[in-house]
Amino acid sequence: MALIEYRDALNQAFAEEIERDPNVVLIGEEVAQYDGAYKVTRGLWKKYGDKRVMDTPISEAAFIGMGVGASMLGLRPVIELMFWSFATVAYDQIINNAGQIRYMSGGLINCPIVIRGPANGGTNVGATHSHTPENWLGAIPGLKVVSAATPYDAKGLMKAAIRDNDPVMFMENTLLYGNRGEVPEEEYIIPLGVADLKREGSDVSLIAHGRAVLTALKAAEILASEHNIQADVLDLRSIRPLDEEAILKTVRKTHRAVLVDENKPFCGVSAQISATIMEQAFDDLDAPVARVCSLDAPAIYSPAVEPLQLPTPERVIEKVLKLA
Amino acid sequence: MALIEYRDALNQAFAEEIERDPNVVLIGEEVAQYDGAYKVTRGLWKKYGDKRVMDTPISEAAFIGMGVGASMLGLRPVIELMFWSFATVAYDQIINNAGQIRYMSGGLINCPIVIRGPANGGTNVGATHSHTPENWLGAIPGLKVVSAATPYDAKGLMKAAIRDNDPVMFMENTLLYGNRGEVPEEEYIIPLGVADLKREGSDVSLIAHGRAVLTALKAAEILASEHNIQADVLDLRSIRPLDEEAILKTVRKTHRAVLVDENKPFCGVSAQISATIMEQAFDDLDAPVARVCSLDAPAIYSPAVEPLQLPTPERVIEKVLKLA
Amino acid sequence: MPKTEVRSTDYANAPINENLSTEERVKLLREMMRIRRFEQVALKFYNAGKMGGFLHLYIGQESIAVGTVSLMGDNDHVITAYRDHGHALAVGMGMNECMAELYGKATGCSKGKGGSMHYFAPDKNYWGGHGIVAGQTPLGLGLAYGIKYKGLKGAALCFLGDGAVNQGVVYESLNMASLFDLPVIYVIENNKYSMGTSLERSSVVDKCLAQRAEAFKVDWALANGEDVYEVRAVTQQALERAYEKSRPTVIEFQTYRYYGHSVADAKHKGGYRKEEEIERYKKQHDPIVIFKNRLLAEKAITEEQFEAIEAEIKAEADESARFAEESPYPTVESIYDDVYFEVDRQTEAGRTGRFFFNN
Amino acid sequence: MPKTEVRSTDYANAPINENLSTEERVKLLREMMRIRRFEQVALKFYNAGKMGGFLHLYIGQESIAVGTVSLMGDNDHVITAYRDHGHALAVGMGMNECMAELYGKATGCSKGKGGSMHYFAPDKNYWGGHGIVAGQTPLGLGLAYGIKYKGLKGAALCFLGDGAVNQGVVYESLNMASLFDLPVIYVIENNKYSMGTSLERSSVVDKCLAQRAEAFKVDWALANGEDVYEVRAVTQQALERAYEKSRPTVIEFQTYRYYGHSVADAKHKGGYRKEEEIERYKKQHDPIVIFKNRLLAEKAITEEQFEAIEAEIKAEADESARFAEESPYPTVESIYDDVYFEVDRQTEAGRTGRFFFNN
Ligand SMILES: Cc1ncc(C[n+]2csc(CCOP(=O)(O)OP(=O)(O)O)c2C)c(N)n1
Ligand SMILES: Cc1ncc(C[n+]2csc(CCOP(=O)(O)OP(=O)(O)O)c2C)c(N)n1
Ligand SMILES: [Mg+2]
Ligand SMILES: [Mg+2]
């Protein structure tokens, strides 16, 4: 297996799907001639040309709406938001047109698009550029939401997202783009709705998605080496559909859960997971489910402070130790 | 005390605040000459003129942004969204400009605006017009979110919202506009962040906001009369700030809670409340916290079916009986 | 950029109209009458409490939907806003599924899920019915983009109101249509009011709204929408521009709605517009009366034939109400259908993970 | 609507310029030099890893911020996008708080919370510094609205880029500015690229971007931004229009950025733009060189005086880096400050209910 970067794993997924299906087209700001602001689409325009890889003006509402309209005719647009934060200027097109058109048409219209891009804090770009909208979008029935933590997952999930016949909101992470991981040569697909137990333990369940999975894994190592606590680390991978069985399974095994989530806490993904465990595994709990989220304020710029606004292994460990 | 309609209670709040503070200005589509699409601003343009009550083009992003800009100079715009659902076309202005500008400026800029309008399903206007964004907006630190269930609360909370120096998202309800309730002649204000125990019981806590409070109250009556179960009915009134003490108090009293919420369940307000109880009153619970939310799909149009998509007293009762 | 030229002022002589057979001419009239009658029946039953939500009537504007849609070929597509019954019937949707939709019945065109504002018939190249003002304009762009991507010669007709032009997404779309040479035709149905706000109170224009297209080097035309021949002649030029040059156009048709913005609009008569104004339009500018008189003059139709059509259409509309009345409502369980393609079909993807979160 | 006329082509003779004292002229040059030097120092320490996030340099465009801002009176306000250091220094912000902001220090103008893209100084009528492309344009409208509401004679200068004009909210704002007679001046700083995309690849225009204002009957002007006299002359006309008629204007200044879009923009040299192009602008169109030569010709300044200013400014900039370096970082606890006015002040409202939800 090759050791490749997260961005290149995505890039492979795009290339393979462009080759496989003539309806797949990449659309967004700077995705073509510039190779993508974060080089995720590097080389694709050069290889596949204007038709398959298309630069747009800074008009997110119009180009996402255009993608939705084209998808109604059977195209499979894969649309980059340079930052997922910029979804706010295209929100109506995402929520109402991508999200509701199938329903409002009684199922007559399908919307097989992917909207993708980085959705994370931690890069000192300030509050407007550091939103984590997986809870915003997961809250909308009609949309699917995916979040990938590793190169392997990024590729497999992206291929599934492109082939999926529903609108998939795909959350990447600028801090992960340069991470390397093993990705097989042969084709593979990771279905949406399947969580991945990234570490096996027995004493506590750490449940996370996206970069928080890496935070949880780090915490788990320290818990094991310094506190003799063995943690399950469950990577949700897909927020909606959600692999509730996997969540319940780990909780029923360890009887304790700490949710690690770069979302803010109020109505964040972690709130939903906590409520789920409340509703379905209450009697299995030996302690209340705890949450480690981003500190509940707009993202601070200061490079010295922002890392501490996100969940850290230390905060995770602290919570785990309190539960025990 | 006069028995007046919810819309008129709001109307009184506007009139009183316009008279009190020369910086208060009402802005929105059809709020002036047309008296408001739902007649909430009836007569105010006639009385106070163009300067204080202002019609706009159908340009929500621009007029909300205009309000934010004006508020930076000290005005107190009260901006109507004809439906809160239309926030999607102005989302950037709400989330990033109203919500984050104070933070990004290190506290140098204040944004004392109110954005208001109906935020509810149940009127057979389809998915795009039936969003309940209190969870979307509550999730944004920097914003405040309020939801009023009665004429009395509507007036008192609106006055507090207008005087508040932070951006307040005020959720009304087209199905409540015509409801009558007692409103005192003399001036009063209801602070944000204070829940209201609308019914006292001992066996179970029903926690709700907005129109769901009325649903909970109906359920409570039937529970009392038919099942001899006495329910506390707690009206949150304010989503952010949230009166957690009141929530914990009722839960610690009854040891059982059913959350009634017209939000969809995924990352809805009820998810946050459930997580809160999990975190802070786990040991007080005799049963898992249950939720009765809108059925988790886009809002259906059909007038015969939509009422059943929202929480009903029957669904609340069913949940309560399961807990007991 | 010059206003799109239309050579003749009697649009009956425009190439696209002069070769119309008698049958085709009568069909134009008939389609307009169908829309009007359908809505009159809908209004009756709306007032009788059979429907919920809004009912935005198209009555007074029929010539625009019928004229434009009558030109559509296989690769042409339509999309519009919430005042959508006219376009729906014009593309050939049946009154039955349209009326049943208003009743919120499972037999409705959108299974009772969309309602008045959300009619759809993709099989007829009709993509809705959209409730968020101007939200459909980038979708129209996307249809045009899709047509071009597939290498087809066709156009997307995207309708919007005179109030909708003040949503920014319209200008984003115009720039992109022009930049990428997309065959989209934005048709502004200027009925002079957006709810209770007159054009003058919402929009600053030089000559007209369509002229704003110049900012993006998009061709435009201003035309009188009351004459279905004129509508066709002007639209045809835009279609040719789309087919031959893959270039967009903005057309503004002057028109008028007789009823309120939606049914519950007490102020529309004598409030924000004078009763005399409404009466003047009805008397002097009614697209059905005008076209009927023209066909009578052309001897394409007789008064008796007209009445026969009236009767047929009345029967069709009445029958649609009966059909709607007798149709079943959707079940509560069906609330969860049509949310996800994969779930509906119970594909592998649709069976993996949890999709709905009520407990 | 005619392009705003500027009578003389030597803008030194424009009324607003001809009466400038020598001191005032030198100050214009000095302010431009301040911006450049500040950014050069910032770049050095950015590359040394002292800062995070983006750093969008204004170098090459200094004449625009300095020229426009030099005209501002007490009731005039400024707002801009993320390329905001120039406007910030031009309104009189100190290098110290600006540099400290880049370092993310508590002594920064936004307490280290905003960073490079989010400078603010309301006491100097400077309202940011905004990261979302064109998101500031309705705020500019609101400043103008607020000025008018308060009965003041003033204007809001709202800056945006050539790529930003394709956000719809710009057109919504123009329509409203025109409709409500609001004294806002939109200043497009056309540096020919939005990130890696040339104007031609993003925007269809007839004569220029500013001309799009005609669609809303808003006056406009296209001007060369490299000459600070021209910037002042053209802006002054817009200000007068704002003061006297409460009417908006769109001005487009042609300009150029020497560096990449932000510092990490490998493709800006020899990628999306030729090295020769950059060199040509630096050699022939540099606003500081041009103005320096003019002042030398006018005998308003000597080469020695110029060098003395250089030295002063260099000291000021170096000192700002020292100040920033030695300043403390914000505490982790301060993350929760500046979210809510009421909480910060612990008013009754700020002590009621829970505001933050980490456990
Ligand atoms: C974004 C948005 N804002 C407001 C509304 C409410 N609304 C529905 S129709 C309408 C008026 C639109 O007028 P116009 O575009 O002229 O179309 P017409 O109704 O005349 O056909 C308004 C304000 C909406 N549906 N969506
Ligand atoms: C809504 C939004 N979309 C995209 C971006 C990313 N972005 C930041 S600056 C920029 C280019 C803007 O170019 P222009 O307006 O010409 O200004 P310049 O950088 O040249 O000063 C882009 C695409 C953003 N910040 N906001
Ligand atoms: Mg209209
Ligand atoms: Mg630029």
Side-chain angles (χ1 to χ4, degrees):
Chain A
M1 280 206 285
L3 210 63
I4 66 172
E5 287 186 6
Y6 184 105
R7 60 161 61 77
D8 293 325
L10 290 168
N11 189 289
Q12 287 184 2
F14 301 140
E16 289 173 19
E17 295 306 299
I18 284 175
E19 303 254 2
R20 194 187 58 86
D21 182 346
N23 286 315
V24 172
V25 50
L26 308 186
I27 297 175
E29 292 158 14
E30 310 291 350
V31 296
Q33 300 193 19
Y34 196 80
D35 278 344
Y38 292 99
K39 307 297 164 211
V40 176
T41 52
R42 186 162 43 197
L44 298 176
W45 173 71
K46 212 162 169 192
K47 183 147 183 211
Y48 299 108
D50 281 332
K51 183 168 180 182
R52 309 300 296 281
V53 188
M54 177 188 186
D55 280 327
T56 67
I58 311 174
S59 305
E60 284 87 356
F63 70 71
I64 289 183
M66 183 179 89
V68 174
S71 79
M72 303 190 309
L73 289 182
L75 269 60
R76 295 186 170 269
V78 179
I79 304 179
E80 175 171 307
L81 281 166
M82 196 181 284
F83 285 69
W84 250 110
S85 283
F86 307 154
T88 54
V89 298
Y91 218 54
D92 178 54
Q93 296 300 321
I94 298 173
I95 301 299
N96 284 318
N97 286 350
Q100 324 271 301
I101 201 161
R102 189 156 199 285
Y103 199 75
M104 292 190 304
S105 68
L108 293 174
I109 298 182
N110 302 317
C111 181
I113 61 166
V114 175
I115 305 178
R116 53 159 288 270
N120 57 285
T123 59
N124 324 133
V125 285
T128 56
H129 282 54
S130 306
H131 295 296
T132 53
E134 52 270 33
N135 57 329
W136 309 357
L137 298 163
I140 308 294
L143 297 179
K144 295 178 176 173
V145 180
V146 170
S147 174
T150 67
Y152 177 83
D153 288 345
K155 180 173 178 183
L157 289 166
M158 183 58 81
K159 286 173 67 93
I162 294 173
R163 297 184 192 189
D164 197 279
N165 291 300
D166 292 307
V168 181
M169 313 293 108
F170 200 102
M171 307 285 151
E172 307 163 10
N173 190 311
T174 40
L175 294 172
L176 300 180
Y177 281 143
N179 282 10
R180 285 172 179 280
E182 297 208 319
V183 171
E185 311 289 330
E186 57 282 4
E187 175 162 84
Y188 67 99
I189 289 196
I190 300 175
L192 313 188
V194 181
D196 183 39
L197 195 64
K198 287 220 153 51
R199 185 184 192 283
E200 276 239 38
S202 49
D203 303 328
V204 63
S205 303
L206 304 181
I207 304 176
H209 66 274
R211 184 167 162 274
V213 172
L214 309 188
T215 309
L217 285 168
K218 259 181 236 154
E221 273 173 44
I222 300 171
L223 283 168
S225 63
E226 298 183 12
H227 303 279
N228 202 22
I229 293 176
Q230 296 301 334
D232 257 15
V233 176
L234 185 69
D235 177 0
L236 297 173
R237 294 202 293 205
S238 166
I239 308 297
R240 187 169 188 145
L242 182 69
D243 190 348
E244 275 195 5
E245 277 175 42
I247 294 170
L248 299 175
K249 191 169 164 201
T250 178
V251 170
R252 289 190 176 128
K253 178 170 77 174
T254 68
H255 310 292
R256 284 181 168 76
V258 174
L259 315 180
V260 191
D261 186 2
E262 295 193 0
N263 254 193
K264 306 273 153 61
F266 198 93
C267 294
V269 168
S270 64
Q272 175 63 28
I273 308 295
S274 178
T276 295
I277 297 173
M278 167 75 87
E279 286 155 14
Q280 297 181 60
F282 182 72
D283 292 332
D284 297 294
L285 288 174
D286 285 348
V289 173
R291 302 196 276 160
V292 177
C293 302
S294 288
L295 299 186
D296 197 14
I300 195 169
Y301 158 68
S302 184
V305 184
E306 200 198 3
L308 302 172
Q309 188 168 11
L310 303 183
T312 57
E314 293 67 37
R315 278 169 56 210
V316 176
I317 292 164
E318 198 189 321
K319 279 276 183 223
V320 170
L321 296 181
K322 267 199 197 142
L323 286 193
Chain B
M1 280 208 282
L3 211 62
I4 66 172
E5 288 186 4
Y6 184 105
R7 60 162 61 78
D8 294 324
L10 290 168
N11 190 289
Q12 287 184 1
F14 301 140
E16 291 173 17
E17 295 304 301
I18 285 175
E19 302 253 1
R20 194 186 58 83
D21 182 346
N23 287 315
V24 172
V25 50
L26 308 186
I27 298 175
E29 291 158 15
E30 310 291 350
V31 295
Q33 299 192 20
Y34 196 79
D35 279 344
Y38 292 99
K39 307 299 164 210
V40 177
T41 51
R42 185 161 45 195
L44 297 176
W45 173 71
K46 214 162 167 191
K47 185 148 181 211
Y48 300 108
D50 280 331
K51 181 166 180 184
R52 311 299 297 279
V53 187
M54 178 188 186
D55 280 328
T56 67
I58 310 174
S59 305
E60 284 87 355
F63 70 72
I64 289 183
M66 183 179 88
V68 173
S71 79
M72 304 190 310
L73 290 183
L75 269 60
R76 294 188 170 268
V78 180
I79 305 180
E80 176 171 307
L81 281 166
M82 196 181 283
F83 285 70
W84 252 109
S85 284
F86 306 155
T88 54
V89 299
Y91 218 55
D92 178 53
Q93 296 300 320
I94 298 174
I95 300 301
N96 284 319
N97 287 349
Q100 325 271 301
I101 200 161
R102 191 158 197 286
Y103 199 76
M104 291 188 306
S105 67
L108 293 175
I109 298 183
N110 302 317
C111 181
I113 60 166
V114 175
I115 306 179
R116 52 158 290 269
N120 56 286
T123 59
N124 322 134
V125 285
T128 56
H129 281 55
S130 305
H131 295 297
T132 53
E134 53 270 31
N135 58 329
W136 309 357
L137 298 165
I140 308 294
L143 297 179
K144 295 178 175 173
V145 180
V146 169
S147 174
T150 68
Y152 177 83
D153 289 345
K155 180 172 178 184
L157 290 166
M158 183 58 81
K159 286 173 67 92
I162 294 173
R163 297 185 193 188
D164 197 280
N165 291 301
D166 292 307
V168 181
M169 313 291 110
F170 200 102
M171 307 284 152
E172 306 164 10
N173 190 311
T174 41
L175 293 172
L176 299 180
Y177 281 143
N179 282 10
R180 286 172 179 278
E182 298 208 319
V183 171
E185 311 289 332
E186 56 283 5
E187 174 163 83
Y188 67 99
I189 290 197
I190 300 175
L192 313 188
V194 180
D196 183 40
L197 196 64
K198 287 224 155 44
R199 188 185 191 282
E200 276 240 39
S202 49
D203 303 328
V204 64
S205 303
L206 305 181
I207 303 175
H209 66 275
R211 184 167 161 273
V213 172
L214 309 187
T215 308
L217 284 168
K218 258 181 236 154
E221 272 173 44
I222 300 172
L223 284 168
S225 64
E226 296 183 13
H227 303 280
N228 201 22
I229 293 176
Q230 296 301 333
D232 257 14
V233 176
L234 185 70
D235 177 0
L236 297 173
R237 294 202 293 204
S238 166
I239 307 298
R240 186 170 189 145
L242 182 69
D243 189 349
E244 275 195 5
E245 277 175 41
I247 294 170
L248 298 176
K249 191 170 164 200
T250 179
V251 170
R252 289 188 176 130
K253 178 169 76 173
T254 68
H255 309 293
R256 283 181 170 76
V258 174
L259 315 180
V260 191
D261 187 2
E262 295 194 0
N263 256 193
K264 306 272 154 63
F266 197 94
C267 294
V269 168
S270 64
Q272 175 62 28
I273 308 294
S274 179
T276 295
I277 298 172
M278 166 76 87
E279 287 155 13
Q280 297 180 59
F282 182 72
D283 292 332
D284 296 294
L285 288 174
D286 285 349
V289 173
R291 302 195 277 159
V292 177
C293 303
S294 288
L295 299 184
D296 197 15
I300 194 168
Y301 158 68
S302 184
V305 184
E306 199 198 3
L308 302 171
Q309 188 168 10
L310 303 184
T312 57
E314 293 68 36
R315 277 169 56 210
V316 176
I317 292 165
E318 197 187 322
K319 278 280 183 218
V320 169
L321 296 180
K322 266 196 198 144
L323 287 194
Chain C
M1 212 164 321
K3 169 165 170 329
T4 298
E5 265 178 68
V6 176
R7 268 156 308 239
S8 114
T9 39
D10 187 353
Y11 293 91
N13 301 330
I16 192 70
N17 292 323
E18 67 184 354
N19 298 323
L20 281 172
S21 69
T22 297
E23 211 172 31
E24 288 166 333
R25 284 162 208 251
V26 173
K27 183 157 192 289
L28 291 172
L29 180 63
R30 193 178 196 285
E31 288 302 315
M32 291 197 278
M33 291 164 66
R34 258 182 100 224
I35 294 169
R36 184 162 300 184
R37 175 61 71 179
F38 173 82
E39 288 201 330
Q40 284 165 342
V41 172
L43 175 59
K44 186 170 98 185
F45 289 104
Y46 183 90
N47 285 332
K50 295 287 182 187
M51 305 164 191
F54 297 129
L55 188 72
H56 304 95
L57 298 179
Y58 193 65
I59 291 179
Q61 309 185 193
E62 297 93 337
S63 42
I64 299 174
V66 169
T68 52
V69 166
S70 67
L71 300 164
M72 277 174 62
D74 283 353
N75 297 324
D76 299 321
H77 294 262
V78 195
I79 188 165
T80 187
Y82 45 85
R83 198 178 297 286
D84 63 348
H85 313 149
H87 313 79
L89 292 174
V91 299
M93 286 175 71
M95 285 193 195
N96 280 2
E97 68 256 32
C98 287
M99 191 65 78
E101 188 60 32
L102 299 180
Y103 276 68
K105 297 297 179 84
T107 54
C109 56
S110 307
K111 299 191 192 158
K113 291 189 159 162
S116 163
M117 303 197 286
H118 305 113
Y119 282 10
F120 295 89
D123 61 323
K124 299 184 172 63
N125 292 5
Y126 177 65
W127 301 94
H130 292 269
I132 298 295
V133 164
Q136 76 279 14
T137 53
L139 300 185
L141 189 72
L143 291 169
Y145 171 79
I147 292 162
K148 187 173 176 185
Y149 188 95
K150 294 179 163 204
L152 302 171
K153 204 170 250 199
L157 287 158
C158 179
F159 295 82
L160 64 157
D162 51 290
V165 293
N166 294 318
Q167 283 284 350
V169 78
V170 174
Y171 303 94
E172 297 185 11
S173 299
L174 286 178
N175 180 56
M176 283 177 59
S178 189
L179 186 67
F180 298 132
D181 291 316
L182 297 181
V184 60
I185 302 171
Y186 287 106
V187 181
I188 302 170
E189 301 195 57
N190 177 359
N191 60 13
K192 299 170 188 64
Y193 297 89
S194 52
M195 290 194 63
T197 302
S198 66
L199 180 60
E200 296 67 41
R201 292 208 302 120
S202 73
S203 307
V204 179
V205 297
D206 187 2
K207 294 202 194 68
C208 65
L209 290 169
Q211 191 196 7
R212 291 183 175 178
E214 285 180 7
F216 309 93
K217 289 184 91 166
V218 170
D219 289 295
W220 60 277
L222 173 66
N224 187 337
E226 75 196 32
D227 173 5
V228 72
Y229 281 154
E230 180 165 353
V231 169
R232 282 169 48 88
V234 173
T235 306
Q236 180 60 21
Q237 300 206 350
L239 284 169
E240 280 163 19
R241 184 174 296 123
Y243 300 156
E244 305 313 327
K245 302 191 198 155
S246 195
R247 287 291 300 169
T249 306
V250 177
I251 306 177
E252 175 176 350
F253 287 120
Q254 288 168 329
T255 184
Y256 202 76
R257 65 165 153 79
Y258 294 173
Y259 288 87
H261 167 69
S262 68
V263 175
D265 174 6
K267 291 221 165 184
H268 86 97
K269 239 189 196 168
Y272 59 83
R273 57 185 198 178
K274 295 217 174 73
E275 284 214 51
E276 300 87 78
E277 182 182 293
I278 307 174
E279 287 316 306
R280 180 160 46 83
Y281 273 96
K282 285 190 183 175
K283 279 207 189 100
Q284 296 170 21
H285 302 280
D286 186 84
I288 295 182
V289 172
I290 288 172
F291 198 60
K292 174 189 168 193
N293 287 338
R294 216 189 236 284
L295 293 193
L296 287 171
E298 286 179 5
K299 301 210 186 304
I301 196 174
T302 65
E303 192 65 56
E304 295 70 48
Q305 285 170 317
F306 178 79
E307 275 161 27
I309 297 173
E310 269 277 61
E312 267 169 54
I313 286 171
K314 184 172 181 311
E316 188 188 357
D318 290 344
E319 161 60 20
S320 75
R322 199 197 52 75
F323 172 81
E325 180 70 40
E326 293 179 2
S327 290
Y329 283 111
T331 61
V332 175
E333 297 71 49
S334 75
I335 283 178
Y336 294 110
D337 296 339
D338 308 312
V339 184
Y340 293 105
F341 176 103
E342 308 287 355
V343 174
D344 286 347
R345 282 164 186 71
Q346 283 295 297
T347 60
E348 181 76 31
R351 284 180 282 112
T352 306
R354 184 168 183 187
F355 290 82
F356 304 109
F357 292 87
N358 294 99
N359 225 23
Chain D
M1 211 165 322
K3 169 164 172 327
T4 297
E5 266 178 68
V6 176
R7 269 156 307 239
S8 115
T9 38
D10 187 353
Y11 293 91
N13 302 330
I16 193 71
N17 292 324
E18 66 186 353
N19 298 323
L20 281 173
S21 67
T22 298
E23 209 173 34
E24 287 166 333
R25 284 164 209 252
V26 172
K27 181 158 194 288
L28 290 173
L29 179 63
R30 191 177 198 287
E31 289 303 313
M32 291 198 279
M33 292 164 66
R34 257 182 100 225
I35 294 168
R36 184 162 301 183
R37 175 62 68 179
F38 173 82
E39 289 200 330
Q40 285 166 340
V41 172
L43 175 59
K44 185 171 98 187
F45 290 104
Y46 183 90
N47 285 332
K50 296 288 182 186
M51 305 164 191
F54 298 130
L55 188 71
H56 304 95
L57 299 179
Y58 193 65
I59 292 178
Q61 308 184 194
E62 297 92 337
S63 42
I64 299 174
V66 170
T68 52
V69 167
S70 66
L71 300 165
M72 277 174 62
D74 283 353
N75 297 323
D76 298 321
H77 295 262
V78 195
I79 188 165
T80 187
Y82 46 85
R83 198 178 297 286
D84 62 349
H85 312 149
H87 312 80
L89 293 174
V91 299
M93 285 175 73
M95 285 194 193
N96 280 2
E97 68 256 30
C98 288
M99 191 65 77
E101 189 59 34
L102 299 180
Y103 276 67
K105 296 296 178 84
T107 53
C109 57
S110 306
K111 299 189 192 160
K113 291 189 160 162
S116 162
M117 303 197 285
H118 305 113
Y119 281 10
F120 295 88
D123 60 323
K124 299 185 173 61
N125 291 4
Y126 178 64
W127 301 94
H130 292 269
I132 298 295
V133 164
Q136 76 278 16
T137 53
L139 300 185
L141 190 72
L143 290 169
Y145 171 78
I147 292 163
K148 188 175 176 184
Y149 187 95
K150 294 179 162 201
L152 301 171
K153 202 167 252 201
L157 287 159
C158 179
F159 294 82
L160 64 158
D162 53 289
V165 295
N166 294 318
Q167 282 284 349
V169 79
V170 173
Y171 303 95
E172 297 185 11
S173 299
L174 286 178
N175 181 54
M176 283 177 59
S178 188
L179 186 67
F180 298 132
D181 292 315
L182 298 181
V184 61
I185 302 171
Y186 286 107
V187 180
I188 302 171
E189 300 194 57
N190 178 358
N191 60 13
K192 299 174 188 62
Y193 297 89
S194 51
M195 290 193 66
T197 303
S198 66
L199 180 60
E200 297 66 42
R201 292 210 300 120
S202 73
S203 308
V204 178
V205 298
D206 188 1
K207 293 202 195 66
C208 66
L209 290 169
Q211 190 196 10
R212 290 183 176 180
E214 284 180 9
F216 309 93
K217 290 184 89 165
V218 170
D219 289 295
W220 59 277
L222 172 66
N224 187 336
E226 74 197 33
D227 174 4
V228 72
Y229 281 154
E230 180 163 354
V231 170
R232 282 169 49 87
V234 173
T235 306
Q236 179 61 19
Q237 300 207 350
L239 283 169
E240 278 162 21
R241 185 176 295 122
Y243 301 156
E244 306 312 327
K245 301 193 198 152
S246 195
R247 289 290 300 170
T249 306
V250 177
I251 305 177
E252 175 176 350
F253 286 119
Q254 288 169 326
T255 184
Y256 202 76
R257 64 166 155 80
Y258 294 173
Y259 288 88
H261 167 69
S262 66
V263 175
D265 175 7
K267 290 219 165 184
H268 86 96
K269 240 190 196 167
Y272 58 84
R273 56 184 200 178
K274 296 217 176 73
E275 284 213 48
E276 301 87 80
E277 183 182 293
I278 306 175
E279 287 314 308
R280 180 160 45 83
Y281 273 97
K282 285 189 183 175
K283 280 207 189 100
Q284 297 168 20
H285 302 280
D286 186 83
I288 294 182
V289 172
I290 288 173
F291 199 59
K292 174 189 169 192
N293 287 339
R294 216 190 236 284
L295 293 193
L296 287 172
E298 285 179 7
K299 304 210 183 306
I301 196 173
T302 65
E303 193 66 57
E304 294 70 49
Q305 285 170 319
F306 179 79
E307 275 161 28
I309 297 173
E310 270 276 62
E312 267 168 53
I313 286 170
K314 184 171 181 313
E316 188 189 356
D318 291 343
E319 161 59 20
S320 75
R322 198 199 50 78
F323 172 81
E325 179 71 39
E326 294 179 4
S327 289
Y329 283 111
T331 61
V332 175
E333 297 70 49
S334 75
I335 283 179
Y336 293 110
D337 297 338
D338 308 311
V339 184
Y340 293 105
F341 175 104
E342 308 286 355
V343 175
D344 286 347
R345 283 164 187 71
Q346 283 294 297
T347 60
E348 183 75 32
R351 284 180 282 115
T352 307
R354 183 167 184 187
F355 291 82
F356 304 111
F357 292 86
N358 294 98
N359 225 22

